Amino acid sequence: MSNQLKVGVVGLGLIGGSMARAYSSAGHAVLAHDINQAALEAALAENAICGKLTAENVADCDVIFLGIYPRAATAWLRVTAPHLTSKSVVIDLCGTKRGICETCFGIAREYGFTFVGGHPMAGTQYSGFENSKSQLFKGAPMVIVPADAKDEATLTRVRELLSPVGFGSITVATAEKHDRIIAFTSQLAHVVSNAYVKSPNAQVHKGFSAGSYRDLTRVAWLNEHMWTELFMENSDYLTEEIDGIISALTAYRDAMAAGDAERLRTLLRDGRVAKEKVDRGSEDEK
């Protein structure tokens, strides 16, 4: 692999735009495609990209990132696949993995290139190229889903291709494991946050809130179009998580309604202990 990479990015939103900026700031050549011409022009003006990604130059890229919604990413790859070669590596950046990996692994086999599922575990509540940052992924985890987890040559190449971004860790997973865990770590948090701010008191909380309110409500400010698609793609695992938190919240509510302070104290203690175990486990992994 040459010192300078040629990188293709499809979609210049928060994630795709940040990926483009990361590679460009590291001295690599980035080509991009976006149906939003304003985003393309802004990326060119800010030197986040050096040109447009087309059917004629896509095969020149060492790696191509799909930073668009799952269905759109699959549709783009299906149309573009005939222009790729055996050296092409395509990595999606979508928030769910089962649907896109199942389809795109098949497309890759048919046309003889490499497809790897990917999910950078970083973001903000804001969307669009104007909010992208070259350091967004610095130190963040990256999850990859290869067609064959035992294919060390492909895994090594993908790690090399991702190295300029500065991820803190790269975890290899199956599509099923990714979607099951992400339903808890990301999707449930977005659902809870979005539901939480629907309280009438959210409109009059000023002067009565601090860090806990800010932390819990940050991701309520979301892109409803993208998250609807992601939630529906992962509805089986996500509904299990929602059922679980409804059950847990009901236990707290019932204890208070019954005036059972001891039961409430036990529930609160169990939650604290669970958090301590999680945090100790995280420290042990360092």
Side-chain angles (χ1 to χ4, degrees), residues 116-133:
V116 175
H119 189 181
M121 303 306 301
T124 74
Q125 65 269 42
Y126 306 113
S127 59
F129 179 75
E130 62 273 20
N131 293 302
S132 61
K133 300 176 177 64

Side-chain angles (χ1 to χ4, degrees), residues 112-257:
F113 62 89
T114 298
F115 175 85
V116 175
H119 189 181
M121 303 306 301
T124 74
Q125 65 269 42
Y126 306 113
S127 59
F129 179 75
E130 62 273 20
N131 293 302
S132 61
K133 300 176 177 64
S134 63
Q135 298 294 306
L136 182 66
F137 307 121
K138 191 75 172 178
M142 173 68 167
V143 180
I144 60 173
V145 178
D148 180 1
K150 296 180 181 179
D151 183 352
E152 289 297 333
T154 294
L155 293 177
T156 297
R157 178 161 177 75
V158 169
R159 290 188 179 101
E160 290 173 350
L161 290 169
L162 291 172
S163 62
V165 183
F167 287 110
S169 65
I170 296 178
T171 299
V172 179
T174 63
E176 288 76 15
K177 181 176 181 180
H178 171 276
D179 287 1
R180 174 168 49 83
I181 295 177
I182 216 71
F184 168 70
T185 60
S186 174
Q187 294 183 339
L188 180 64
H190 282 78
V191 170
V192 170
S193 181
N194 196 263
Y196 178 75
V197 295
K198 291 177 180 177
S199 166
N201 285 318
Q203 303 304 317
V204 294
H205 77 276
K206 199 169 183 179
F208 293 85
S209 59
S212 56
Y213 174 85
R214 182 181 62 249
D215 293 344
L216 185 53
T217 60
R218 181 179 67 83
V219 294
W221 194 333
L222 47 70
N223 177 339
E224 64 271 20
H225 305 290
M226 179 185 76
W227 285 102
T228 294
E229 185 168 331
L230 294 176
F231 290 166
M232 295 305 294
E233 289 243 342
N234 209 30
S235 61
D236 51 352
Y237 286 136
L238 182 53
T239 53
E240 285 182 13
E241 292 295 340
I242 293 173
D243 287 344
I245 199 167
I246 288 173
S247 177
L249 289 171
T250 299
Y252 291 101
R253 184 248 174 233
D254 289 350
M256 286 182 278

Side-chain angles (χ1 to χ4, degrees), residues 70-101:
R71 288 197 292 270
T74 300
W76 182 90
L77 189 60
R78 200 182 298 279
V79 170
T80 307
H83 302 284
L84 302 178
T85 72
S86 60
K87 295 181 181 179
S88 301
V89 176
V90 180
I91 302 174
D92 87 276
L93 304 173
C94 302
T96 55
K97 294 274 80 79
R98 283 176 295 171
I100 194 167
C101 283

